[in-house]
């Protein structure tokens, strides 16, 4: 029985690993085709790969995360908090901001436009300019923030059901902002003098922090079991 269980576990790991690699490979080939078409692979090789890493990890955790069942009230509260968290992250990264006039040249009379000036994942950038707000949706950063917010939603529902698993997730939430500092302060439409502090490898550092944070939130149940085991 134990041998069969181990065999099934290895088979699931192999299947998931194959799908993960396939997802990354599809994006890589699309990025190479896009680069061949536009002639732009980014100023550094890592810039070419970073969007695919973020997107692959984000899609993977969203697809495999199954939020816990909870009372309707808890689901609504968790959704509201997660959405507020997403808005905060969008604001901190510069994706969401107040309306600015100079972007109206890109968005036209309808307030919506696309820019294609960088490699795939960095572009196409969807820009919306309204009377009060401006959205500059860099593809890989946007899906990364959505993935973090979804994991926070899952952690909040976990917190409503059980103590340890949810607490591990909630404790990791302050770290969720960490991965966004570098792409937010270095990139987007605004830029920042903090580039001198973060250095030229800010996006690479942000990617490592993003993977660590997503890993903590996604595997928090396993971390909580390890924590309980170590306490014995």
């Amino acid at each position: 029985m134990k041998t069969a269980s181990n065999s099934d576990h290895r088979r699931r790991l192999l299947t998931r690993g194959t799908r993960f690699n396939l997802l990354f490979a599809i994006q890589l080939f699309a990025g190479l085709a896009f680069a061949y078409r536009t002639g732009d692979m980014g100023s550094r090789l890592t810039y070419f790969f970073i969007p695919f890493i973020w997107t692959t990890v984000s899609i993977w955790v969203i697809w495999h995360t199954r939020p816990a069942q909870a009372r309707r009230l808890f689901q609504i509260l968790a959704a509201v908090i997660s959405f507020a968290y997403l808005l905060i992250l969008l604001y901190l990264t510069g994706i969401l901001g107040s309306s600015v006039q100079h972007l109206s040249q890109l968005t036209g009379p309808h307030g919506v436009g696309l820019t294609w000036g960088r490699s795939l994942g960095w572009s196409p950038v969807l820009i919306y300019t309204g009377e009060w707000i401006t959205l500059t949706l860099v593809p890989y950063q946007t899906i990364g923030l959505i993935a973090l917010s979804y994991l926070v939603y899952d952690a909040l529902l976990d917190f409503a059901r059980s103590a340890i698993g949810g607490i591990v997730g909630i404790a990791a939430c302050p770290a969720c902002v960490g991965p966004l500092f570098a792409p937010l302060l270095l990139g987007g439409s605004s830029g920042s003098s903090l580039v001198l502090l973060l250095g030229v490898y800010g996006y690479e550092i942000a990617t490592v922090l993003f993977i660590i944070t997503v890993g903590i939130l996604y595997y928090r149940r396993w971390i909580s079991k390890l924590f309980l085991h170590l306490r014995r």
Side-chain angles (χ1 to χ4, degrees):
M1 183 68 70
K2 186 176 181 180
T3 303
S5 178
N6 291 336
S7 177
D8 290 340
H9 181 67
R10 286 194 296 269
R11 189 180 299 110
R12 286 195 298 268
L13 287 178
L14 180 60
T15 301
R16 289 190 173 189
T18 302
R19 291 174 179 173
F20 184 91
N21 291 329
L22 181 61
L23 177 60
F24 184 82
I26 290 173
Q27 295 177 83
L28 180 60
F29 284 123
L32 289 172
F34 189 83
Y36 177 79
R37 178 77 176 179
T38 62
D40 184 8
M41 289 190 65
S43 58
R44 281 206 304 268
L45 185 61
T46 51
Y47 281 19
F48 176 77
F49 286 103
I50 282 174
F52 307 140
I53 295 172
W54 279 60
T55 304
T56 302
V57 171
S58 300
I59 293 175
W60 185 255
V61 297
I62 290 174
W63 181 262
H64 288 93
T65 297
R66 300 291 183 267
Q69 294 295 324
R71 292 171 53 187
R72 187 67 175 176
L73 177 60
F74 288 138
Q75 292 179 352
I76 295 174
L77 289 175
V80 170
I81 294 172
S82 301
F83 183 69
Y85 174 75
L86 176 61
L87 292 180
I88 292 172
L89 295 183
L90 291 174
Y91 176 77
L92 288 176
T93 53
I95 291 176
L96 172 65
S98 57
S99 183
V100 290
Q101 292 296 323
H102 72 273
L103 288 179
S104 60
Q105 300 176 1
L106 298 174
T107 58
H110 301 292
V112 179
L114 284 174
T115 62
W116 299 83
R118 306 180 72 179
S119 60
L120 189 64
W122 297 93
S123 68
V125 177
L126 176 63
I127 303 174
Y128 167 78
T129 300
E131 184 178 356
W132 302 103
I133 65 169
T134 293
L135 286 173
T136 308
L137 300 177
V138 181
Y140 87 91
Q141 292 180 6
T142 302
I143 192 172
L145 301 187
I146 292 173
L148 283 173
S149 301
Y150 187 63
L151 288 173
V152 169
Y153 171 75
D154 184 44
L156 288 170
L157 291 182
D158 231 6
F159 182 74
R161 289 188 59 216
S162 61
I164 299 297
I167 289 173
V168 170
I170 299 303
C173 288
C176 295
V177 181
L180 310 173
F181 278 136
L184 169 104
L185 298 174
L186 299 179
S189 59
S190 58
S192 170
S193 60
L194 285 179
V195 66
L196 298 176
L197 176 62
L198 295 176
V200 295
Y201 297 103
Y203 285 110
E204 288 84 350
I205 295 171
T207 300
V208 173
L209 291 174
F210 174 76
I211 293 173
I212 292 173
T213 304
V214 168
I216 292 173
L217 287 169
Y218 182 73
Y219 289 106
R220 67 186 182 278
R221 295 183 181 92
W222 180 84
I223 294 174
S224 67
K225 291 179 181 178
L226 179 62
F227 174 77
L228 291 174
H229 179 73
L230 293 176
R231 288 187 59 187
R232 293 176 182 174

